[in-house]
Amino acid sequence: PHYSHQGKKEGWGPDARNSWVDVRSTENLWLMRTTSVYLMAEETKNEATRKLYKQHILDYTKTLYRVGIGEWDSENYHGHSIGPLLNLYDFAKDRDVKVAAKACLDFYSIAGAIKYYRGGFNGPTKRDYNHAQPFGGSAANSLWMWYGDHPTGKQHHWESDEVHQITSAYRPPLAAVNLARKHFEKPVELLAAKPSYNATTSFQSSSQPEYFETQYIANSYQMGSLTGGTSVDGGDVNGFKILVYDREDGAVALHALPGANPLLPGSPMYKTGVITAQNRVAQQENLALWLVKNGKSPWLWVVPDEVNILVKRGVSFLQCDRTWVAIRPLGTTLLTKDPTLTKHLIDAKKNSFPGHQVLSAKGESKAFCGLAIEVGEEQSHGSFDKFVASVLSAKVDVSELNKGIARYRSSDGKWLGIHWNDNPLQLGVWRNGKRQSLEAAPLYNSTLVNAEWGAGVLAVTTPGANFRCEVDETGKVRFE
């Protein structure tokens, strides 16, 4: 018993929980507790506790390499998980534990490097807490300590976790640095699966994926989405995001949601009513179709003030520094700047998006409405004018929109179709006439990063630097 325990009540301290260590189970706190208890046991020669927590660490490492991070790609918590793993790597005396800590850090550094871009962190993400802009949360801040590669002009605040990276002996593999700095031939499309929230911390190494992600990395932007879109009513997943090059600020983020609250363009942060209904995203490289199961749903985009807006022949164009985004209505009104909501965003006391403007549209369909999105850049289209002309020649089919079906054909001949399904892992994603398989999902699958779900092997291939780590069923680690 803890001397300060006062009986069961609200709270997480020893007065409420009768505990000597933090008992919360979110992944970053689980790692803080597990690594701290292990190191204290090792230091004080409490051998029974040390062995117990060593096994926890090995089991976690084994599961991590099979199903990924339960609190995956969190803009708010990614750095908070890295901190305790650095402590374990730097101070553990047991070689098995130290090597496991390195394996975990390598995984976190590689997972972060995929979405890191010039001080920003792309989506989709779990638990972003609307810290979804460059230097908004611990993911971008902690990864900047390793990867840099951008101006530091507009960081919002620093976290305290960075002290561990400054003082640690750990450095990410060179292949992870190449991933983060995008030192590889582009564009690249990466497919990934994500586990359920408690999978890693409860050692569910045979569990199945809960999310399917598409990430497209081009020369001046990244676009990422989940087939399940952004979570509704009490959820914590941001299911769509575009991160683009910016000369002065490194990168800027473009946020969107089927909802009416411009203060929460990332995840709903466990609130109800932020996202109007279940929504689904089909993505093929630089194209995306996003539908919501609410034909009257409002739609918002929250983008930096410096993004120029052009409306032409029923399409809204966002002109960024080096990236261009076209947004076409699917059963909605035209997306245009909303002065009222922009003022509401500016005047809000807790505005996490200063210097941003709001664009809005509203559904005018029956059962479904949505948006068709195409992204371009100089390398793919030559110029903004050519991009506009290309988009205006694209073909859109909304003849079956009220069944949750839409199709888009870009001027370069790519056909993308979406066929609604209430199960996100059974969404009909049709790419050039062929249905994409979502259920046999990889942990990571691209020319850069490969990991088969459940296999325990993570491999990265970049010009001049490769990485491979295998973790067997006992938690033993082998690097190549």
Side-chain angles (χ1 to χ4, degrees), residues 242-256:
I242 303 175
L243 195 63
V244 304
Y245 177 97
D246 187 86
R247 186 181 298 103
E248 292 186 6
D249 298 328
V252 295
L254 311 179
H255 311 281

Side-chain angles (χ1 to χ4, degrees), residues 393-455:
S393 68
K395 306 296 182 184
V396 179
D397 180 359
V398 291
S399 60
E400 298 180 273
L401 181 60
N402 284 323
K403 296 179 182 179
I405 298 172
R407 303 176 183 89
Y408 184 91
R409 179 169 183 161
S410 60
S411 64
D412 63 358
K414 286 200 294 282
W415 263 110
L416 174 62
I418 183 170
H419 290 217
W420 182 274
N421 197 297
D422 287 337
N423 183 341
L425 293 182
Q426 294 179 5
L427 180 70
V429 180
W430 290 82
R431 296 155 59 113
N432 299 332
K434 184 177 180 181
R435 183 167 181 168
Q436 184 178 20
S437 174
L438 305 179
E439 293 180 314
L443 185 53
Y444 288 109
N445 182 19
S446 74
T447 56
L448 296 169
V449 185
N450 276 280
E452 181 183 344
W453 187 273

Side-chain angles (χ1 to χ4, degrees), residues 154 246 252-257 261-265 299-311 316-321 327 335-347 351-361:
K154 277 191 179 179
D246 187 86
V252 295
L254 311 179
H255 311 281
L257 72 154
N261 188 343
L263 299 175
L264 297 173
W299 285 85
L300 298 183
W301 282 66
V302 180
V303 303
D305 288 339
E306 60 263 31
V307 174
N308 295 320
I309 313 300
L310 170 69
V311 176
S316 303
F317 293 92
L318 311 184
Q319 188 177 12
C320 307
D321 196 331
I327 306 163
L335 187 77
T336 57
K337 184 167 180 177
D338 191 317
T340 302
L341 287 179
T342 298
K343 185 177 186 303
H344 175 63
L345 182 69
I346 294 170
D347 293 344
N351 177 10
S352 298
F353 300 88
H356 282 62
Q357 57 186 319
V358 182
L359 315 179
S360 69

Side-chain angles (χ1 to χ4, degrees), residues 127-179:
R127 307 192 83 201
D128 68 8
Y129 280 25
N130 279 266
H131 297 163
Q133 67 282 8
F135 279 98
S138 79
N141 285 351
S142 64
L143 295 170
W144 179 85
M145 300 299 297
W146 287 335
Y147 302 137
D149 194 37
H150 74 98
T152 59
K154 277 191 179 179
Q155 66 265 29
H156 289 263
H157 65 277
W158 292 103
E159 304 274 357
S160 56
D161 302 274
E162 283 85 61
V163 68
H164 298 290
Q165 286 167 285
I166 293 169
T167 57
S168 175
Y170 174 81
R171 295 294 181 270
L174 182 56
V177 179
N178 287 344
L179 274 180

Side-chain angles (χ1 to χ4, degrees), residues 40-77:
M40 181 63 78
E42 192 175 66
E43 184 68 21
T44 59
K45 297 181 172 52
N46 181 342
E47 193 62 9
T49 300
R50 188 194 72 82
K51 287 181 178 179
L52 175 64
Y53 276 76
K54 174 180 178 177
Q55 192 60 53
H56 291 340
I57 291 164
L58 297 183
D59 287 342
Y60 177 85
T61 308
K62 178 187 78 171
T63 311
L64 179 68
Y65 271 74
R66 280 158 177 77
V67 303
I69 305 166
E71 196 170 60
W72 51 269
D73 302 346
S74 170
E75 296 204 50
N76 201 67
Y77 291 116

